[in-house]
Amino acid sequence: VVPFVPFVALLLQQRRPVAGRALLVTGSSCPGHGLCRSNVQEQTRRQVALLNATAQDLFSLYLKCQGEPFSSEADKLCNPSGVIFPPFRVNRTSERKEVMVAMYQLFAFLNASLGNITRDQEELNPTAKELLDRLHNTTKTTRGLISNLTCLLCKNYNIFQVDVSYGESSKGKGTFRKKQQGCQVLRKYVQVIAQAARVLLPHLSPP
Amino acid sequence: MMNHFIVLAVLLPLRTCYTTHSQQESTVFPVTYLNVSKELAFQRLLVEWDVGKSAHDAELAMSFEIQVRRTGETTTVWTEFHNVTLDKSGDPLHWMWDSDLPLECMSHSVRIRTKAEASKIWSEWSPWKTVLGLDTLNDSGPQIFPNEKIVEEGSDITLCCIGRKGHVIEEFSLYPAPHVFNHTNSQIGLLTLKNVAHQAVPHITVYCRESCTEEECYDHAVLFVGKPPNTPNDFSCETQDMRTVTCTWSQGGDTYLYGNHSPKYTLSEEFSQNPIPCTVTCSEQCSCSWDIGQQRIYNITMTVENPLGKKTAMDVFDVTHRIYPAAPFQLWEECRDTEITLYWKYQNKGFELFCQTEVVQPDGKVELHNSSDSHLHYASITLSGLQPYTEYTARVHCAAAQHFWRWSEWSEAQTIRTMEATPSGKLDIWREITQVQGGRNVTLFWKQAPGFRANGGSISYEVTWEKEEGGSKLERMSFSSACNSTRISIDNHSYRVSIMAKNDVNYSLPSVLIIPRGTGTEEELSGSELQEEQINGTDDGIFISWEPRHMYDSYIIDWCNFPTLQPCDLQWKRFRPNTSSALINSAAFVPGVRYNFHIYGSVGNRVSLLKKKTGYLRELPPLFDPKVEKVELTFNAVTLSWDSYPTNESQSGFVRGYHVYVSPIQEVCSLQGSKKHVLPDNSVLCKYTIENPEEKRYTVEHLLSNTKYKLAVKAYTGGGETPIVNFIYIDTPFNSNMLYLLVLLVIVPSLVAAICRWKLNWVKECCCPVIPSPNKSKVLSFKEFKNGSEKVLKISDCIPDMLAVDNKAETQELHPWSQLSSAPTEAKTDHNSSWIYPNENEERAFTHTPTHQTHTWFENFAYSSHFADESCPYQIPETLETGKPELSVVLYQPHYYFDIFNEDAASTPRETPGRKTSLRYISQTDVHCLGRRL
């Protein structure tokens, strides 16, 4: 069970490539109490670990379901250098607050991108049930993680506004481009989630 | 003059007609306007043109020849003749052409020329009108056309890849296999795919690469390979309530097209010319429902469409003929002992229903009962002929009575039990009588006969008995349903026993058995005067037969399922009067157990024992071997006894006899009266068979003295015998007779020899006077027949000292096989030879005349000495038995002697034939002996 912050879900419905300042909570300040559950830190740690553990399988399954040339030329076609991705310039020595903000920006972007990919795959590969299930599960975990990060930022640092950017929408693009964009995003996701886990987990480990 | 004008008047119009016609034949109407555009969505060229107004005004029928050409191709790719009759509206003319190559790939040009149908002359060609392809643009990278296309499985498709100006198309192919593509020029590549197949992934990716490798040098296109929708062949519409119609159909096969390209369904009604306002939902089946209003007749067309095609299905129906009622509900019942009235409700009224009730009986048999409803809100049916206190399961479904379309779904099944009633049928009863001091113990048994029905949940049994003659109090006992037997004690009077079943409603009819007057003896009950017959079981049971007698109204066979136990689980079976055999089987029957069967005849509740039979389901080998209790041994025989071995019912089969096994000497069974028996390990035993099971003693004879033997005794049944495992070992003693014989044969002759040696001269004088040797005789010089150191008699050279003719007929008939006695020098008549070694072969070869009573033989030393040196098998001493055994004699038969006496061999060419018959040869020895005797 994750803490529920209604406006976050609304905010993440944005699918256009957009940058903006996300309001983590309604109002001009964090609520005094009732925002976080007692085990939010542990839950956040587990969510990051889960995403890190499942990212590679999700990417491999995505490639397999796209058919050729993705399954054989992933390196060339899925090179993420061309996709817009939020910078993740924190490391284990960075301040915890800084790490939390970077995490929020990363997972806000990922959540929107996963929404795009899921929508495209529902249309292009409606019979690839396992892939769709994994995409839905990853998106759900990401949403829960965003809620927990919101809570931690608000509770620990009284941050209720974060600048975020969302990925480029694939709507209106050709089938190949949709597949390629999803492939690029997921590949970048595999790389960044591993880094995020390395950086975030020490900060969230029990004292 | 007048005629001249008439001629002119006729010719002038003709001239005018001719002139007009000539003008039309030679007039051309060239294209005055030509416009070409492209419709990329359909890859179609749209051509619009016009001819002069005069042609429209003349409403000419015209032909147009239209040609299409592509950039870089020298020949036209399409030529078509298009015939149109013009009208006065003056509207321009149109023509469409679907290109097999994407119009983006290259520029297309069109030109037209015209001809009035009446004319023979074509106009000049219009100038080419061109629509440009994208090959003329300078784009940022190569482009594939079509970039995304839905292709029907099995069809062909042509794609092109347009490179940037100054770039060459290096690769243009499908993943993963490279395809050979055509160049129209270095900038444009063409790729034709034949018979496109659906892949596991629903898209085929095509890629194109220019001669560079950067990202902008690539383009990719995707083909969706699918199928047009199937025609829904099970499209059908119906109503449950005359208010809403629902149409259903199957989705058909997978089209491989999903999302926006998946099949779309629409329904329309032909009579009202309106689309049906319903929402299609598909899971296992697709369905669509809408309210029908007052309309009764419908002509519904269902259209299924995807980008590759469209199919339709129709259903024309009258709503009143398509009633599929809802399932009946709320079933309830009224019960009696043999009847159930079942009620149910249904939702829809307004049309008459016809219902069917399914009744499942306890044995699983299903019955269907039809009924029509008569009440406004519910319907009912009465099911009769049912069994009391029995569970039935019933359910109902209905259909429109007037126009049957389909049965509704079944209602919920209702399980109903009928009421209790008096037990029907009678109990099957039996008894076992045991004689005791002062009376009898009678064990009564009862069971429910095949026709008996308890008709109630709580059943009990009541047993009553009284003296048949009356005068005694009626005894009565009651038993619960768990009981099936009881024992009563009665005296030796005749008794009448009655047993009834009782439920909560009433008693059943009584079953009666008469116990006859007893005599007080056990024999009467056991039927010991009857001979017990042996019977054999089969795979299906034990077959029992008897001779039916007309006086009996039934027969009963009883037996014990466990004959060795007490109680033995007495069973009985009753048979109809005309029965004479039965196959008795029981789950308790096992092989190797002897079962005893008693067959009774019954008349008027009195039974009498008819037969006793005993047998096995299957006989097994004896459980144990006879124990040899006594062994009597002599030097050449052994006697074995096993008197205590049982042959009764304790055996696992009827003991048929015994086998005595004796180990033979040197693995050869030569013992008299035995048969060779080979064991599984290939060792050999001699087997003696005793076929009487009561003969429990056997003597094995002809054994050798002073020899070890091993023996075994086995009983055998119809199931055979068990393997031989244990043996009895015996040593036959030394034969003392042989010792006596040895004494006689060795010591006595030695004593005689010693005495003879001691009195040698006396013996010699007395028994063996000096006899001249024939070899020293001059007449027997045998020059011609000398064989080694021996001499052979030549008849012609022999001058006998004396010729004697035997005056006895017997001695004149000397047989060739007759031999001289071994007794030297003297003629001998021997009637008592005791060494007898018959040789059958020679008996057959030389038959003799058995008329001699006495024989006289004379020794010829020429032969006898030869005999002493040779060891020819023909020279084995033998005794020929004549017709009179007392005349047996010892004969020695040298081979060559036989040849001499053979007529052929003995006669030489020099001999006169008469000699053979007139004179009898008497050997030198004979002569010699005779001479001496004289």
Side-chain angles (χ1 to χ4, degrees), chain B residues 835-871:
Chain B
W835 305 100
I836 302 168
Y837 286 99
N839 184 321
E840 291 180 1
N841 292 336
E842 293 198 6
E843 276 185 352
R844 267 185 238 116
F846 309 111
T847 53
H848 63 276
T849 310
T851 56
H852 311 284
Q853 292 195 349
T854 58
H855 300 267
T856 304
W857 288 272
F858 305 97
E859 185 179 32
N860 185 334
F861 280 87
Y863 309 129
S864 62
S865 63
H866 193 273
F867 163 68
D869 294 336
E870 294 289 321
S871 59

Side-chain angles (χ1 to χ4, degrees), chain A residues 65-69 73 76-77 123-127 174-176 179, chain B residues 147-148 175-176 201-203 205 215 218 220-222 224 258-260:
Chain A
C65 291
Q66 306 318 303
E68 291 294 349
E73 294 183 28
K76 190 169 73 180
L77 293 169
E123 186 185 327
L124 295 173
N125 273 319
T127 55
T175 301
F176 185 84
K179 288 182 176 186
Chain B
N147 191 257
E148 282 191 15
Y175 280 106
V201 176
H203 323 115
T205 304
E215 196 177 343
Y218 282 89
H220 293 86
V222 174
F224 298 84
Y258 311 107
N260 293 332

Side-chain angles (χ1 to χ4, degrees), chain B residues 697-799:
Chain B
R697 180 183 173 85
Y698 191 75
T699 301
V700 181
E701 294 176 323
H702 307 297
L703 302 178
L704 295 177
S705 63
N706 198 24
T707 307
K708 282 184 186 296
Y709 287 96
K710 58 179 183 179
L711 300 98
V713 180
K714 306 289 290 183
Y716 66 92
T717 67
E721 65 180 32
T722 53
I724 305 165
V725 178
N726 297 317
F727 286 94
I728 303 163
Y729 293 89
I730 59 163
D731 277 341
T732 51
F734 188 77
N735 186 354
S736 56
N737 294 335
M738 287 295 288
L739 192 64
Y740 300 143
L741 191 66
L742 189 70
V743 168
L744 281 173
L745 291 176
V746 176
I747 297 174
V748 172
S750 300
L751 281 172
V752 170
I755 292 165
C756 288
R757 179 73 181 165
W758 184 38
K759 296 286 184 183
L760 179 66
N761 290 335
W762 179 81
V763 172
K764 200 174 177 183
E765 283 291 319
C766 185
C767 300
C768 300
V770 174
I771 300 166
S773 170
N775 289 342
K776 294 173 182 173
S777 174
K778 190 180 177 184
V779 292
L780 295 174
S781 58
F782 303 136
K783 288 175 187 169
E784 293 177 27
F785 299 101
K786 198 160 185 177
N787 183 4
S789 63
E790 298 176 9
K791 306 276 178 48
V792 178
L793 176 65
K794 188 176 175 187
I795 303 294
S796 60
D797 294 337
C798 181
I799 304 167

